Amino acid sequence: MFSCIFCRVVSGELPSYKLYEDDRVIAFLDIFPAVKGHILVVPKTHAENMFASDPEDIKATMKVVLDLAPKLEKALGADGINITINKGEAAGQSVFHTHVHILPRFKDDGKSLWGPMDSKPDLAELYEELKQNL
Ligand code: 5GP
Ligand code: ZN
C-alpha cells in the first residue's frame, strides 16, 4: 500500500501543494495539470477506486468537492468546471487510489473531453439491454 503515490502524499512523504485537509480527505494541485487550477480531492484511506472505498469516505470526499469547486471557479475567474472520476485503466485511471478531479474550464482553453461516437449504437436495443441488467 505504501508504494501508492497518493498514500505517500497523504502521509507527507511526498510533497504536495495542499489546498484542503481534514481527518478523512485531502485536496492538492495535480502535478501534471490538464488545465490551470486542476486539483485532486482524495480520501485519505487507501482503496483502488471509488467502488472499493468506504461510502463514508466517498461522501466526505464529495462534500469537499462540492465546497471547493465553486470556490476554485470563482478564485480563477473560470467559465465552468468539470468534475471527473476515472475508474479503470480503460477510463484513464493511472493512480489506483480513489480520487476526484476538479478541472476549472475557460471558454478558450481548447480542451475537448469527448465528442459523439463515430458509429452510434442502436439506442432502442441498448435501452432494452440496460433495462434487463441495471
Ligand atoms: P487518473 O489518471 O488516475 O485519473 O489521475 C491521476 C492524476 O494524478 C493525474 O492527473 C496525474 O497528473 C496526477 N499525479 C500523478 N502523480 C502525482 C503526484 O505525485 N503528485 C500529484 N500532485 N499529482 C500526481
Ligand atoms: Zn493509496
Side-chain angles (χ1 to χ4, degrees):
M1 185 205 295
F2 292 104
S3 63
C4 166
I5 288 174
F6 289 172
C7 281
R8 292 167 69 198
V9 170
V10 167
S11 73
E13 183 191 335
L14 282 182
S16 68
Y17 291 102
K18 205 190 298 174
L19 290 165
Y20 177 86
E21 182 169 18
D22 63 30
D23 54 341
R24 275 187 187 265
V25 181
I26 184 170
F28 48 88
L29 291 180
D30 192 297
I31 206 167
F32 301 117
V35 289
K36 181 182 167 190
H38 182 175
I39 71 173
L40 300 169
V41 186
V42 179
K44 288 183 169 176
T45 300
H46 181 88
E48 189 171 321
N49 62 58
M50 68 176 298
F51 303 109
S53 281
D54 179 336
E56 288 303 316
D57 279 331
I58 298 298
K59 229 194 279 186
T61 301
M62 293 314 288
K63 199 163 166 245
V64 174
V65 169
L66 287 176
D67 179 56
L68 284 183
K71 287 182 182 165
L72 190 65
E73 185 178 21
K74 191 167 171 222
L76 293 174
D79 303 306
I81 288 271
N82 286 119
I83 292 167
T84 69
I85 297 169
N86 301 327
K87 190 271 169 185
E89 220 172 314
Q93 186 176 6
S94 60
V95 175
F96 291 86
H97 177 134
T98 304
H99 56 281
V100 180
H101 299 257
I102 305 180
L103 299 136
R105 298 301 305 275
F106 300 87
K107 277 193 186 106
D108 301 317
D109 63 25
K111 293 274 165 185
S112 165
L113 291 191
W114 56 66
M117 297 171 77
D118 292 338
S119 157
K120 183 173 147 184
D122 184 317
L123 293 188
E125 206 177 281
L126 178 64
Y127 178 64
E128 288 308 318
E129 184 187 336
L130 293 180
K131 266 202 312 188
Q132 305 303 322
N133 292 297
L134 294 185

